Amino acid sequence: MTTLDIRSDVTVQLVDHNLSDKAVVRAARVSTVGQTHNNPTEDADRDAGLINYLMRERHGSPFEHGSLTLFVEAPIFVFREWQRHRIASYNEESARYRELRPVFYLPAADRNLVQVGKPGAYRLKPGTAEQLAFVDCELLNAYEAAYEAYERMLVAGIAREIARAALPVGIYSSMYVTMNPRGLMNFLSLRTHREDAAFVSNPQREIEMCAEKAEAIFAELMPVTHAAFEANGRVAP
Ligand SMILES: Cc1cc2nc3c(=O)[nH]c(=O)nc-3n(C[C@H](O)[C@H](O)[C@H](O)COP(=O)(O)OP(=O)(O)OC[C@H]3O[C@@H](n4cnc5c(N)ncnc54)[C@H](O)[C@@H]3O)c2cc1C
């Protein structure tokens, strides 16, 4: 019997990027002064004011210049949500061309478990210790049974693309995703919960864990743009 690898976390790693606040300023200034890439201005306050203006007025296209590539490991149910964001490019490992590894998700002890309220207007509250143990037990049993069925089919010569039908959405996958800053801000706006946002979204916690990691990377690479995003209600321009 294969030993399952159990995780409660997600991986979001910066692989590559060409993001900068300067690229936003350069793109915006072409409309009023023409090219500036050979003679960039060195007025940080003016640049920050321009970026804030663009964000506030939702002049979005200057935020489309540049991209970052992230490597992500998360359960498949997170990927289903993330890949709904069409303004991005994705490449994910294939369950047709490789055998999926037995890596499965269990909620951490501090993950809220119990839904209170109606669909679309509910909140989650902590489960009891018994509920957490129950969830762990049920998920582990399901994962073990599913992965054993998957392996039995592979041993019997069944194609991976058929055998994978036995696997649950709690299994981990991996992908590269490339986004431009505007698409990323739309993702962050929708996939984080912030009470102080102009629009308060209620994403599932597991994709929010990914978004929080992506946002920390974004804030480091584009501090002025990120500050303007925050200051203007976390609305994507
Ligand atoms: C809390 C939450 C709950 C959700 N629940 C559900 C659910 O129950 N069922 C479900 O199916 N989905 C659900 N979604 C997914 C949601 O409907 C979006 O598909 C997802 O958030 C991607 O957002 P987006 O379209 O803005 O992103 P992107 O696809 O990256 O698009 C970015 C922006 O580009 C523009 N754009 C992109 N494509 C088009 C287009 N074809 N036409 C016009 N404009 C376009 C839009 O302005 C869009 O905001 C949920 C999302 C959240 C955050």
Side-chain angles (χ1 to χ4, degrees):
M1 195 182 86
T2 305
T3 308
L4 304 188
D5 185 358
I6 297 301
R7 292 182 61 173
S8 301
D9 65 334
V10 294
T11 299
V12 178
Q13 279 172 2
L14 178 64
V15 176
D16 205 1
H17 83 94
N18 65 349
L19 298 190
S20 72
D21 292 317
K22 281 280 176 212
V24 179
V25 171
R26 186 174 61 223
R29 290 235 160 95
V30 76
S31 65
T32 52
V33 297
Q35 72 87 2
T36 54
H37 56 274
N38 289 329
N39 52 336
T41 52
E42 294 297 337
D43 186 335
D45 288 347
R46 216 167 138 238
D47 289 355
L50 175 59
I51 288 174
N52 192 61
Y53 163 81
L54 296 167
M55 193 76 71
R56 189 184 69 228
E57 301 299 318
R58 302 194 69 200
H59 289 301
S61 55
F63 298 99
E64 294 173 9
H65 297 271
S67 68
L68 90 168
T69 299
L70 303 170
F71 175 68
V72 183
E73 291 175 324
I76 281 178
F77 65 81
V78 172
F79 278 37
R80 284 203 61 191
E81 294 186 346
W82 193 324
Q83 290 174 358
R84 295 298 305 280
H85 293 261
R86 293 156 289 182
I87 311 303
S89 302
Y90 303 96
N91 280 94
E92 182 180 355
E93 70 177 280
S94 168
R96 295 183 69 200
Y97 305 138
R98 71 175 298 193
E99 189 176 324
L100 292 192
R101 292 153 300 137
V103 186
F104 290 93
Y105 176 75
L106 281 188
D110 61 355
R111 204 301 189 187
N112 287 341
L113 295 178
V114 179
Q115 181 175 323
V116 185
K118 294 182 291 190
Y122 66 80
R123 59 188 177 79
L124 292 172
K125 64 172 193 168
T128 61
E130 291 73 29
Q131 283 173 319
L132 183 65
F134 178 65
V135 167
D136 283 358
C137 179
E138 290 291 331
L139 286 177
L140 278 174
N141 286 340
Y143 292 158
E144 273 169 12
Y147 203 78
E148 280 172 18
Y150 177 64
E151 284 190 309
R152 280 196 301 273
M153 283 189 268
L154 295 182
V155 168
I158 305 301
R160 288 181 290 258
E161 67 187 47
I162 293 296
R164 69 170 167 181
L167 296 173
V169 293
I171 196 166
Y172 275 66
S173 188
S174 60
M175 68 171 175
Y176 291 105
V177 53
T178 298
M179 303 177 104
N180 69 40
R182 189 182 190 184
L184 178 61
M185 284 187 276
N186 184 58
F187 173 77
L188 299 178
S189 166
L190 291 169
R191 300 302 182 175
T192 57
H193 175 83
R194 285 277 296 268
E195 289 294 342
D196 59 343
F199 164 78
V200 181
S201 189
N202 290 292
Q204 173 150 351
R205 178 61 194 144
E206 286 74 16
I207 195 166
E208 186 180 41
M209 286 156 53
C210 292
E212 286 170 354
K213 286 175 184 272
E215 183 159 359
I217 294 167
F218 173 55
E220 196 168 326
L221 300 177
M222 297 183 76
V224 180
T225 300
H226 180 259
F229 174 62
E230 286 271 30
N232 289 281
R234 298 175 63 81
V235 176

